[in-house]
């Protein structure tokens, strides 16, 4: 049977939607079979329950704990939990000093251990730096290439550090340094009669923290295999042991770069203070350049002066010092001269907020405390489960009312609404399940509320479209023409309405905390799915139905019955044209 040419484009659109749905469910089936995913969405703490730990800070040097240090500890713990892929975790304080961590599900031992240990901020010399993600192998163009097995270089932008009042300055790296060359790659010592120690290759003890002899074949292998763009890498780095006496292979916090770093030479406790603000000139005038001011104590001043005095004479990337927090690089400025006065500033593409965040990390990053668990207990989801059942019941009642209204108001056309809601539900379900696997997203009661609210948003888009088409039918247009004209008008309205919903959800997500963000996230997700369903299913299916006899001729049960809609009859206006305006003019003249 031949396909109506008018239906070809809508059929191609429906076929693309079918491929999308089948592909997403196929991906979910694959990761369930061979990965760590599950068919059902992951649930949050209020719906699944989980583990609650109350941690008591333990002072390692016999000093006292300030409230600022406790607040910073909470922020660091939250970052550690997020880096392991656990979403919807809650980290709060109790009694002014204890920290309460509530984790959904059953967290693994590595996650719990990472919460107990103290935060470690260290300054390490950079030995090698390269792009964080694997780069495509360039084709042969006659230019020189790095030796086999060495990291490739990739341009990037970075921060710029300067030292105030005539002290040393550092500048931003404009590009990744070249890969290790034959002249700088350490030559391993034969190991026929010896073993490789922790300080480098056999027989080659490093002279200082910048010595390339730290790079053993095993270190180079780890560096080459490291892919910072992989979310699983971040979880692994968050739980790795950061031994200050050994070299470290790690990533930058933004995942854009990876490093081989020498042993730690300056630690966070050597920093006396760190603050952020706008840089001032020698005359005292304030500039629009945001900077981070560092001040070292007496011991830190000497150690940092020795480090920068050595780094300034080295080529890139070995003239950089990496600021490492919890095993990941916060920043890696380039040393331009020795910093011996004990003060320095870091400048670059900072905003006031980002500069304050980094300043706080530098100031409190090396917390002089670790944490011991006071209690560890399972949190029951009973209350959340009861509320979920009532919420789902309310959602089902709302969905049933939408279906009844659609069938009553739009007759057979109401089944298009039902089918569109089914497609939207299928896409929402598989997307939430996949996000739980890929990003650790967990569905909370607030998130379920966002899904229920989306039913009304999705139904509203269909109603706008249907009413626009029916308005065109009332004006006397044939249904095929009415569908396209009505769609052109409804499309703008739908996009504007969904755009407002998306903007509101984004603002709520950015400004809100805790479970409210779950509501905002699901609202954003369902808004995007609503647009996809209306464009890829609702409009194409209505366009196809308009070419059928039942809908095209306006059957009384189709929802497009001209008589029931009160459609005006078109009048002949000459040359094969019809006009509604002529009839309106005739009616007005008759009434007058």
């Amino acid at each position: 049977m031949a396909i109506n040419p008018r239906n070809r484009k809508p059929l191609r659109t429906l076929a693309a939607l079918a491929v999308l749905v089948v592909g997403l469910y196929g991906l979910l089936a694959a990761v369930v079979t061979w990965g760590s995913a599950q068919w059902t969405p992951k649930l949050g703490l209020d719906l699944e329950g989980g583990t609650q730990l109350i941690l008591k800070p333990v002072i390692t040097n016999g000093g006292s704990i300030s409230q600022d240090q406790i607040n910073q500890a909470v922020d660091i713990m939250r970052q550690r939990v997020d880096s392991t892929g656990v979403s919807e975790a809650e980290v709060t304080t109790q009694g002014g000093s204890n920290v309460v961590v509530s984790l959904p599900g059953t967290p693994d031992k590595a996650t719990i251990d990472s919460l107990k240990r103290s935060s470690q901020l260290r300054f390490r010399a950079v030995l090698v730096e390269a792009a964080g993600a694997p780069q495509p192998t360039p084709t042969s163009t006659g230019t020189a290439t790095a030796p086999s097995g060495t990291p490739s270089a990739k341009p990037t932008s970075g921060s710029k550090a300067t030292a105030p009042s005539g002290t040393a300055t550092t500048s931003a790296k404009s590009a990744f340094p070249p890969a290790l060359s034959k002249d700088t790659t350490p030559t391993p010592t034969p190991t026929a009669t010896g073993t490789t120690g922790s300080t480098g290759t056999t027989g080659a003890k490093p002279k200082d923290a910048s010595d390339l002899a730290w790079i053993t074949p095993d270190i180079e292998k780890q560096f080459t295999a490291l892919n910072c763009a992989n979310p699983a890498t971040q979880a692994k780095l968050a739980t790795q042991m950061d031994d200050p006496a050994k070299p470290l292979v790690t990533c930058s916090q933004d995942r854009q770069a990876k490093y081989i770093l020498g042993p730690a030479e300056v630690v966070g406790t050597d920093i006396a203070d760190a603050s952020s603000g706008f840089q001032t000139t020698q005359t005292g005038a304030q500039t629009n350049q945001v900077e981070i001011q560092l001040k070292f104590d007496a011991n830190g001043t000497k150690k940092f002066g020795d480090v920068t005095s050595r780094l300034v004479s080295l080529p890139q990337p070995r003239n950089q010092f990496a600021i490492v927090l919890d095993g990941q690089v916060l920043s890696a400025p380039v040393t331009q001269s020795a910093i011996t006065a004990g003060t320095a500033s870091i400048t670059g593409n900072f905003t006031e907020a980002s500069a304050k965040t980094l300043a706080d990390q530098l100031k409190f990053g090396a917390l002089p405390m670790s944490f011991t668990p006071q209690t560890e207990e399972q949190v029951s989801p009973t209350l959340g489960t009861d509320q979920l059942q009532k919420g789902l019941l309310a959602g089902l009642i709302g969905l049933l009312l939408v279906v009844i209204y659609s069938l009553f108001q739009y007759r057979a056309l109401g089944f298009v609404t039902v089918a569109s809601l089914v497609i939207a539900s299928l896409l929402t379900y598989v997307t939430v399940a996949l996000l739980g696997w890929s990003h650790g997203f967990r569905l909370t009661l607030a998130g379920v509320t966002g899904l229920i609210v989306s039913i009304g948003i999705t139904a509203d888009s269909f109603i706008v479209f249907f009413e626009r088409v029916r308005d065109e039918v009332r004006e006397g247009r044939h249904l095929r023409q009415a569908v396209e004209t009505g769609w052109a008008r409804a499309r703008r309205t739908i996009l504007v309405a969904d755009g407002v919903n998306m903007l509101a959800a984004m603002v709520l997500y950015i400004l809100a905390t805790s479970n409210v963000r779950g509501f905002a996230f699901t609202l954003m997700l369902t808004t995007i799915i609503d647009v996809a369903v209306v464009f890829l299913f609702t409009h194409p299916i209505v366009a196809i139905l308009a070419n059928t006899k039942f809908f095209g001729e306006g059957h009384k049960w189709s929802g497009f019955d001209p008589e029931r809609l009160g459609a005006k009859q078109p009048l002949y206006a000459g040359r094969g044209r019809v006009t509604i305006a002529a009839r309106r003019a005739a009616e007005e003249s008759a009434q007058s």
Side-chain angles (χ1 to χ4, degrees):
M1 182 177 65
I3 298 178
N4 189 332
R6 296 190 184 94
N7 294 339
R8 289 176 180 172
K9 183 177 180 180
L11 284 174
R12 287 196 294 267
T13 303
L14 292 176
L17 177 62
V19 171
L20 174 63
V21 174
V22 173
L24 289 175
Y25 275 91
L27 175 61
L28 180 59
V31 297
V32 168
T33 303
W34 293 293
S36 58
Q38 58 188 42
W39 281 106
T40 57
K42 291 184 177 180
L43 300 180
L45 188 66
D46 56 348
L47 300 180
E48 184 183 12
T51 302
Q52 184 182 76
L53 296 93
I54 299 180
L55 304 175
K56 180 181 179 180
V58 177
I59 308 300
T60 58
N61 58 4
S64 60
I65 302 176
S66 67
Q67 188 60 45
D68 286 338
Q69 290 174 326
I70 292 294
N71 294 337
Q72 185 65 18
V74 170
D75 292 338
I76 291 174
M77 284 187 178
R78 189 174 289 115
Q79 293 173 9
R80 288 174 178 175
V81 172
D82 291 342
S83 67
T84 60
V86 179
S87 181
E88 299 296 344
E90 297 179 3
V91 184
T92 57
T93 59
Q94 182 185 75
S97 59
N98 290 345
V99 178
V100 181
V101 182
S102 300
L103 302 171
T106 304
D108 55 21
K109 184 176 182 298
T111 299
I112 295 178
D113 288 343
S114 71
L115 297 175
K116 297 177 185 178
R117 74 173 190 263
S118 58
S119 171
Q120 301 295 333
L121 179 71
R122 298 186 173 108
F123 289 72
R124 292 173 175 266
V126 175
L127 302 180
V128 179
E129 177 185 17
Q135 302 299 301
T137 303
T139 56
S140 178
T141 58
T143 58
T145 58
S148 175
T150 57
S152 60
K154 177 186 176 183
T156 186
S157 59
S159 63
K160 178 181 180 181
T162 60
S165 306
T167 58
T169 62
T170 60
S171 64
K173 52 184 172 55
S174 60
F176 279 110
L180 289 176
S181 66
K182 294 179 179 178
D183 296 332
T184 60
T185 303
T187 304
T189 303
T191 58
T193 60
T195 58
T196 300
S198 63
T199 59
T201 55
T202 302
K205 186 175 181 179
K207 300 187 300 292
D208 51 51
S210 296
D211 196 329
L212 292 175
W214 288 107
I215 307 177
T216 65
D218 182 58
I219 291 290
E220 186 175 351
K221 182 179 179 181
Q222 293 179 39
F223 179 77
T224 304
L226 184 62
N227 180 7
C228 298
N230 186 350
T233 301
Q234 298 298 101
K236 183 178 179 181
L237 292 176
T239 57
Q240 73 174 345
M241 295 302 295
D242 181 8
D243 189 337
K246 296 181 180 180
L248 179 69
V249 178
T250 189
C251 299
S252 61
Q253 201 171 50
D254 60 5
R255 306 186 185 184
Q256 298 300 310
K258 61 181 179 179
Y259 300 88
I260 300 178
L261 306 176
E265 299 179 271
V266 181
V267 295
T269 52
D270 294 325
I271 297 177
D273 193 18
S275 60
S276 62
F278 289 97
Q279 192 176 44
T280 57
T281 64
Q282 293 182 350
T283 60
Q286 181 175 290
T287 68
N288 59 358
Q289 178 72 58
V290 180
E291 69 172 352
I292 299 167
Q293 288 278 354
L294 287 180
K295 183 178 181 181
F296 295 92
D297 60 17
N299 188 37
T301 297
K302 181 181 184 305
K303 290 194 293 185
F304 200 67
D306 293 341
V307 171
T308 53
S309 297
R310 183 188 73 243
L311 296 181
V312 70
S313 62
L314 297 176
Q316 280 194 328
R318 295 166 62 205
N319 60 349
Q320 299 172 230
F321 61 90
I323 305 171
V324 183
L325 176 64
D326 275 353
Q328 298 184 58
V329 176
L330 298 178
S331 180
V334 179
T335 307
Q336 288 184 331
S337 59
I339 300 176
T340 57
T343 58
S345 71
I346 303 175
T347 60
N349 297 323
F350 293 117
T351 62
E352 290 184 75
S354 63
K356 184 180 184 304
T357 298
L358 182 55
D360 288 341
Q361 290 173 323
L362 293 170
K363 185 175 182 179
F364 302 115
L367 300 177
M369 67 181 82
S370 59
F371 293 87
T372 58
Q374 293 291 96
T375 61
E376 181 177 336
E377 58 184 9
Q378 296 298 311
V379 180
S380 172
T382 304
L383 180 60
T385 302
D386 181 63
Q387 292 175 335
L388 176 63
Q389 292 174 348
K390 293 180 180 178
L392 291 177
L393 178 61
L396 289 175
I397 293 174
L399 180 61
L400 181 61
L401 291 176
V402 169
V403 172
I404 293 174
Y405 172 81
S406 298
L407 295 177
F408 174 78
Q409 179 71 14
Y410 299 111
R411 308 294 175 92
L413 186 62
F415 288 105
V416 176
T417 300
V418 176
S420 298
L421 289 173
V422 170
I423 297 296
S425 300
L426 291 174
L427 284 173
T428 301
Y429 185 89
V430 71
T431 304
V432 170
L434 286 173
L435 286 174
W437 162 72
S438 62
H439 291 79
F441 174 71
R442 289 181 176 267
L443 196 59
T444 62
L445 188 60
V448 173
T449 304
L451 297 180
I452 295 174
V453 170
S454 69
I455 297 174
I457 296 175
T458 304
D460 181 65
S461 298
F462 307 150
I463 292 173
V464 169
F465 178 34
F466 295 161
E467 288 300 327
R468 287 290 190 182
V469 175
R470 284 154 66 101
D471 286 343
E472 297 301 322
V473 172
R474 291 187 182 97
E475 293 296 326
R477 290 187 174 86
H478 189 276
L479 183 58
R480 285 195 298 269
Q481 183 184 5
V483 168
E484 296 309 316
T485 305
W487 170 246
R489 296 180 177 180
R491 180 176 55 202
R492 293 192 295 268
T493 304
I494 292 171
L495 289 175
V496 169
D498 283 340
V500 172
N501 289 332
M502 176 65 72
L503 182 62
M506 290 176 63
V507 172
L508 187 61
Y509 183 84
I510 294 172
L511 299 181
T513 58
S514 188
N515 289 339
V516 179
R517 301 186 72 190
F519 170 81
F521 181 82
T522 54
L523 194 59
M524 286 190 289
L525 177 64
T526 52
T527 300
I528 295 173
I529 290 176
D530 172 44
V531 174
V533 171
V534 171
F535 276 74
L536 300 180
F537 180 78
T538 310
H539 170 238
I541 202 70
V542 173
I544 292 175
L545 294 176
N547 291 299
T548 63
K549 181 178 179 181
F550 181 80
F551 285 91
E553 294 183 1
H555 191 278
K556 64 179 181 178
W557 290 104
S558 67
F560 291 127
D561 181 10
E563 183 177 351
R564 180 171 179 268
L565 295 176
K568 297 180 175 63
Q569 297 298 321
L571 297 179
Y572 181 72
R575 297 184 180 179
R577 295 182 293 111
V578 295
T579 178
I580 302 300
R583 181 178 178 86
R584 288 178 177 172
E587 290 176 350
E588 292 174 357
S589 60
Q591 292 176 357
S592 61

